[in-house]
Amino acid sequence: MEEVTRSVLAEEILNRLDLENLCSVACVSTTLRSAVVSGVLPSLLSLDLSFFSPDDETLNHMLRGCIGLSSLTLNCLRLNAASVRGVLGPHLRELHLLRCSLLSSTVLTSIGTLCPNLRVLTLEMADLDSPVVFQSNLTQMLNGCPYLESLQLNIRGILVDATAFQSVRFSLPETLKVLRLQPLLESEAILLMNRFRVTGTYLSSSLPQLVKLDLEDRPEKEPFPDGDLTYTGLQSLGCCQQLTSLSLVRTCYNRKISFKRINDMGIFLLSEACKGLESVRLGGFPKVSDAGFASLLHSCRNLKKFEVRGAFLLSDLAFHDVTGSSCSLQEVRLSMCPLITSEAVKKLGLCGNLELLDLGSCKSISDSCLNSVSALRKLTSLNLAGADVTDSGMLALGKSDVPITQLSLRGCKRISDRGISNLLNNEGTISKTLSTLDLGHMPGISDRAIHTITRYCKALIELSLRSCFHVTDSSIESLATRERQAEGGGGKQLRKLNVHNCVSLTTGSLRWLSKPSFAGLHWLGLGQTRFAGRKETITATICGQRPWLTLCFDGCELGCYDGWEFHTPQRH
C-alpha cells in the first residue's frame, strides 16, 4: 500500500512541480524525500540549474539520482573541472554550461570525448588558456561531436578574444543549424561569410541546414577595407535557404568603429536575398537609414523579432506602414536610436502580437505614446529606460490591462514616487503581473515608492534601485516585511536585489538583510554603499547559511550577467 501511495504521489503531484518546489517538498518529511529521490529524479529528462550557482558538493548531491537526463543546464560559477566532467556522458543530447569562471578550455576536450551524441551545446567561458591551446581543444570538441545541430560559444576576456575561433570554420559539422560565436575577430567573421560564396555547392558541402547565424565581433582597430563586410557578403547569405534568424553585431567601446562599407543598398540586398527571415538583429550599421531598415520590414513578411542597436539614422519613417508590412512582429528592440520618437511607438502600438518592446535610450519617447502601448494586450516586457515619460504617463499604464512582467524605467528623471503610485495603485493588471522592475538612476524615487511596491507587487522577484539616493533603511525594512509575508503564502520572494550606490543606506539595515529575512535571495548588489568598506564582515553576516547567495560589490548590473567571469563564490 505504501508503494502504491508513493507511486501515485510521484505521478499525480510531484512530477508536476518545478525543481525549487521539489526541493521544498523533500524537506518536509522522510516519506516525501524518498518519493522525490526514487520516484521523480530518475525520470527527469531535463534539468535547469541556471537560476543559482551550486558548489561541487551540492551539484553531486542533486544529480545523484538523475540517471535519465538528456538535457542539462548548469550555472558553473563555483564548479571545478572534475565536477563538470562528472556530469558528462553519452546520454546527454543538450548541454548548457554557463558562467564557467573556473574552467579552462580542457572542458571542451572532455565534452568531445564523453558526449558523442550531443546535439545542442552552449558554453560561456573565461579565457584561461592561450589562443593556441584553446583552438586545439575547440577542434577536438568539434571533431568529437559530429551530430551538433546548435553551437553557441561566448568567450570572455582579452587573451582569446581576437583569435578564439580562428579554426572553427574548418571543423563545423554539416548538421549545424544554429551558430553563435561571441566575440569573433572581424576577419574570422568575414572568412565565415566568404564560405557562402566560394562555390555554388556550398549548401551541400558546408552548412546546408543552417537556420540561425549569430556573429559578433569586437575589433580593437579599424578593419582594413578589403577585409571588411561588404554588399556581396550580405547578399550571399541567400544561399542559406533555411536561414530564419540572423544576428550581425559589431561591438566596441569606440563607436566610430563600425560596418562602414554597408549602407542602405547592402541591407536592401540582404532583404531581397533572405525573405524568409523571422528574426533580425543588427548592431554597428550607422550608415543605414530608414530606407534600408524599412526594406527588411517590408520584404521579410514573417518577421517576428526585429532588433537594431545604435542606428543613428533610423527614424519614425521606417515604421510608417509597419502594420501593413509586418503585423507578425512579436519583439521589437530599438536601443540607442536617437531619432525614434513617440510617433514610431504609436505605429507599433497597432501590432497586436507584440510581446516585447525595448526603447532603451530612445530619449524622445514621451507620455503621448503610452496609451498606444497600453492597448497591447500581449505585451509582457517594456523598456523605457531614459525616456521622457512622466507621472501622468504611468497612470495610463497603471489603468490598462497590459500584462507586463518586466519593466525598466531606469533614468526616467521625470517620474517620482507619485508615478509609481499611479502605476501600481490602480485597477490595472500590472501590479499583479510585474516580476522584474528597474528603477535605477531615478532621483525622484524615495522610500515612499518602495512602500508602494511592497504593498502591491506580490509577484516581484527582481528589483533594481541602483543609484536611488533617497532610498533609506526604511525601504529595506519594508522589503524584509514583504519577504516574511511571501513566506506565508502572500506572494513571491525576491531573487535579486540591487541597491548599488544607494548612499542613504546605513549599516543599520544589515539586520534586515540578514537571515531569516530575504530567504529566497540569490543575488545582492551592494557596491558603493556603506557596506562596501566591510566586505568580509558583511559577507559572513549575510551569507551565513546561505551558500547560494552571491554578493556583488563591483557595481555589476542585476545578476552580474556581464561580469560573471570575474566572480568568486559569495563575493567578488
Side-chain angles (χ1 to χ4, degrees), residues 331-344:
E331 298 183 9
V332 175
R333 293 178 171 90
L334 305 175
S335 179
M336 296 180 290
C337 299
L339 299 183
I340 292 294
T341 74
S342 295
E343 295 306 309

Side-chain angles (χ1 to χ4, degrees), residues 391-392 394 415-423 444 448:
D391 294 342
S392 298
M394 294 301 98
I415 295 179
S416 66
D417 294 338
R418 180 184 175 188
I420 302 303
S421 180
N422 289 343
L423 179 70
R448 182 180 175 186

Side-chain angles (χ1 to χ4, degrees), residues 20 24 152 213 221 228 245 270 328 336 342 468 472 559 572:
E20 187 172 0
S24 299
Q152 302 187 58
L213 179 63
K221 58 183 180 180
D228 208 359
S245 178
L270 172 65
S328 59
M336 296 180 290
S342 295
C468 288
T472 72
H572 53 283

Side-chain angles (χ1 to χ4, degrees), residues 141-176:
M141 184 274 289
L142 290 171
N143 291 336
C145 300
Y147 308 114
L148 271 182
E149 298 177 4
S150 174
L151 175 63
Q152 302 187 58
L153 299 179
N154 189 334
I155 311 301
R156 297 296 185 90
I158 58 175
L159 294 179
V160 178
D161 275 5
T163 53
F165 307 116
Q166 203 162 43
S167 61
V168 68
R169 64 185 185 276
F170 301 116
S171 307
L172 293 174
E174 294 184 8
T175 54
L176 209 62

Side-chain angles (χ1 to χ4, degrees), residues 231-270:
Y231 302 163
T232 306
L234 290 178
Q235 190 175 27
S236 64
L237 286 171
C239 295
C240 289
Q241 298 179 2
Q242 299 187 50
L243 193 68
T244 60
S245 178
L246 175 65
S247 176
L248 297 174
V249 176
R250 174 158 286 172
T251 302
C252 55
Y253 295 108
N254 181 1
R255 71 183 188 186
K256 293 182 179 179
I257 300 179
S258 58
F259 293 109
K260 287 187 168 57
R261 300 187 67 181
I262 302 296
N263 56 21
D264 290 336
M265 180 56 71
I267 302 300
F268 177 75
L269 292 173
L270 172 65

Side-chain angles (χ1 to χ4, degrees), residues 30-57:
T30 303
T31 301
L32 287 174
R33 182 180 184 278
S34 178
V36 170
V37 172
S38 61
V40 179
L41 296 185
S43 63
L44 285 179
L45 297 178
S46 177
L47 186 61
D48 186 347
L49 298 179
S50 61
F51 60 89
F52 82 112
S53 52
D55 56 21
D56 303 318
E57 183 179 355

Side-chain angles (χ1 to χ4, degrees), residues 327-387:
C327 59
S328 59
L329 283 173
Q330 297 175 359
E331 298 183 9
V332 175
R333 293 178 171 90
L334 305 175
S335 179
M336 296 180 290
C337 299
L339 299 183
I340 292 294
T341 74
S342 295
E343 295 306 309
V345 181
K346 291 177 182 178
K347 293 294 184 180
L348 291 170
L350 299 175
C351 299
N353 292 317
L354 209 59
E355 299 173 5
L356 182 150
L357 182 58
D358 184 347
L359 303 167
S361 298
C362 294
K363 297 182 180 181
S364 297
I365 303 298
S366 64
D367 291 342
S368 63
C369 68
L370 293 185
N371 283 325
S372 299
V373 173
S374 299
L376 295 169
R377 295 293 183 257
K378 296 182 180 181
L379 191 69
T380 59
S381 180
L382 177 62
N383 183 358
L384 295 173

Side-chain angles (χ1 to χ4, degrees), residues 64 121 146 180 189 302 369 499 547 572:
R64 190 176 301 163
L121 176 62
R180 181 179 186 181
N302 294 319
C369 68
V499 292
H572 53 283

